[in-house]
Amino acid sequence: MKFMKKGISLWLLLSVIFIAVLIVSNTVVYGLIIHENKKQIKKEEEKLLLGIGKQLAIEDSIKRALQSNKSSVALEQYTNKIAEIHGLDFVVIMNMDGIRLTHPNTNEIGQRFEGGDEKEALLGKEQISISNGTLGQSLRGFVPIFSGSEQIGVVAIGIKLPNLEALVEHASEEYACSLTISILIALMGSSLVAYYLKRQLLNLEPKEITRLLEERNAMLNETKDVILVTDNQRIITLANTAAKTLYVQLGGEFSLLEGKGIDVLIQDNDHYDFKKKDEQLYRQNGQDYLISIAPIVVRKKTVGFIVFLRNATASLLVMDQLENTTSYASTLQNKSHEFMNKLHVIYGLVDLEAYIQLKIYLNDILAPEEMFTNSISILVKNPMIAGFLVGERETFSNYNISLQIEVASELPNNLNYEKTIAIVNLYRYIHHVFIEEQGPQELAVIISCEKEQLISKYKTKRNKEECQKIISIFKGNYFKELLKATEGSFFIDKKPTEMIFIFKIKYEGDLL
């Protein structure tokens, strides 16, 4: 992937996205908090102003000053002390004409109250307002003062707006500190989340993931073998075109394979093993397949399986062709050497004029081959089986194994071509097992036909361990399917010095 043009890395992209989202969201939340905080402080200040005003409105010293309509140093000190205690900018007592009896600035005492927002209070109503006065723009609270049922004045309490804003800013500083800490934590968290997601994606960049996905789809859909991906419950999660085509042949719909159990495609569950990694021979609807199953491991945990289903007929045909080609070349070399040796012996006997010994030598050479050829040509009426047996002797000889074939009774022709193919396939597999499990260099087989049964007895002097391996193979699912196709059965006859494998196959022959 190094040749691909590198863009912004996924880790950086995710980090930038997370950080941007966090900054925007925190800024919005911070703005809303400050706005609500400002409103809350204002409400609390309004409540505080009215509360202090109501308390002052019931003070006897204030009432007496209003009734006498005279200010005093004691009253001024008292109101200034109240303002200092509660963090207020002014506490003003005014009579019904709006004349101030107290003020933080003594020069303003005896002057008319400024702002014009005191009129409602002079009419007996509590009021909160914002207006300009001698101290500048301020938040004001007005509370009427009564003596009995008669209103005798108003107490005005206020805090300048700059001081109110200072309160809001002081509260905002605490939120700003919290916001800064939360953003730092969010930055660290977002970086860790971005790193974790990158690790989950196997450190791949988006372009690399896209390319890998396209390459995977191309490989899956272009291959002719059936490929399936399943989860641990054997449910198909991915299937290539070949798998869907096989599903259609079995009566399903092309687009409905994913989500179904694997048994809708590979129907005999008992004939394959998910725990076995080697290729397994499998037979279904008369067709031979090779199954390969491999676990899908993610971070040392099995999350599913990948299944390859390959048509075994074509593969076995190619293998036979390669094997036959190799055997043919080897046979030519061996036979050429053997022929030259025999020719030299014959030439020597002729040169010595030992004609009697020459006749005996020629009989020894020709008699076994002539006997085998005659028995095959006379007793075996099925040309396909006869040709196969002749070829098998040559195949065994290439592996330095002597295959002695004895035809004990006449074998009639079988007009059922498919049944004959099944019999030949069974023989080929039996011989393949004996060749693979190499042992003694001699194998004898007796073939007879009795009561519409083709009986084949294989005699071998292999040891117990070697025979046990062969028996375990013949008990496998694939061999059982081959026997089933020929309506055959399998037996074992143990002798002290040899082991006899007996195969009985239903055979309906025709002597005509």
Side-chain angles (χ1 to χ4, degrees), residues 156-392:
I157 305 169
I159 180 172
K160 292 187 290 186
L161 288 186
N163 293 338
L164 182 63
E165 293 295 333
L167 290 175
V168 174
E169 289 178 5
H170 178 71
S172 300
E173 288 177 359
E174 298 180 358
Y175 287 111
C177 182
S178 300
L179 176 65
T180 303
I181 294 174
S182 66
I183 289 177
L184 291 176
I185 295 174
L187 290 177
M188 296 177 58
S190 63
S191 298
L192 292 175
V193 170
Y195 177 75
Y196 172 77
L197 292 177
K198 183 73 183 295
R199 287 290 302 276
Q200 290 295 105
L201 296 174
L202 304 179
N203 291 321
L204 294 175
E205 299 297 330
K207 291 182 179 179
E208 295 173 330
I209 296 172
T210 301
R211 177 162 184 157
L212 285 175
L213 182 61
E214 291 175 351
E215 290 173 348
R216 184 207 66 170
N217 291 337
M219 287 189 293
L220 287 178
N221 293 325
E222 291 301 323
T223 183
K224 304 302 179 183
D225 297 332
V226 172
I227 301 177
L228 301 170
V229 177
T230 73
D231 58 18
N232 287 327
Q233 284 71 44
R234 317 287 168 81
I235 302 299
I236 297 173
T237 57
L238 180 65
N240 69 341
T241 302
K244 294 179 180 179
T245 301
L246 179 60
Y247 183 55
V248 171
Q249 294 173 358
L250 296 175
E253 295 187 24
F254 186 85
S255 60
L256 299 181
L257 183 55
E258 284 89 350
K260 297 185 180 297
I262 194 174
D263 54 349
V264 302
L265 201 62
I266 307 177
Q267 298 170 343
D268 294 330
N269 295 326
D270 298 333
H271 289 178
Y272 58 90
D273 186 0
F274 264 78
K275 298 180 180 179
K276 188 177 181 181
K277 294 184 179 180
D278 298 332
E279 280 192 329
Q280 305 171 57
L281 282 167
Y282 172 73
R283 191 174 182 84
Q284 179 173 295
N285 298 330
Q287 178 64 54
D288 294 328
Y289 297 96
L290 287 171
I291 293 183
S292 298
I293 302 174
I296 300 174
V297 180
V298 178
R299 303 191 187 282
K300 299 181 181 181
K301 182 179 180 181
T302 300
V303 298
F305 299 89
I306 182 168
V307 181
F308 299 89
L309 189 65
R310 188 153 48 98
N311 191 319
T313 303
S315 300
L316 293 175
L317 179 60
V318 172
M319 291 172 61
D320 285 345
Q321 290 175 344
L322 291 173
E323 184 177 348
N324 291 338
T325 302
T326 304
S327 299
Y328 179 68
S330 178
T331 301
L332 284 178
Q333 183 179 2
N334 294 335
K335 291 298 181 182
S336 175
H337 182 70
E338 183 181 353
F339 174 75
M340 292 302 297
N341 289 339
K342 291 179 179 179
L343 193 60
H344 286 144
V345 173
I346 294 172
Y347 179 79
L349 292 174
V350 171
D351 188 50
L352 295 172
E353 296 182 356
Y355 298 114
I356 296 176
Q357 287 82 357
L358 176 61
K359 185 177 181 180
I360 294 172
Y361 181 70
L362 291 174
N363 286 335
D364 290 339
I365 295 175
L366 299 175
E369 292 297 328
E370 183 178 357
M371 183 182 301
F372 172 72
T373 304
N374 288 338
S375 65
I376 291 295
S377 60
I378 294 173
L379 296 177
V380 181
K381 303 300 183 181
N382 191 318
M384 186 177 294
I385 295 179
F388 172 76
L389 293 176
V390 172
E392 285 298 277

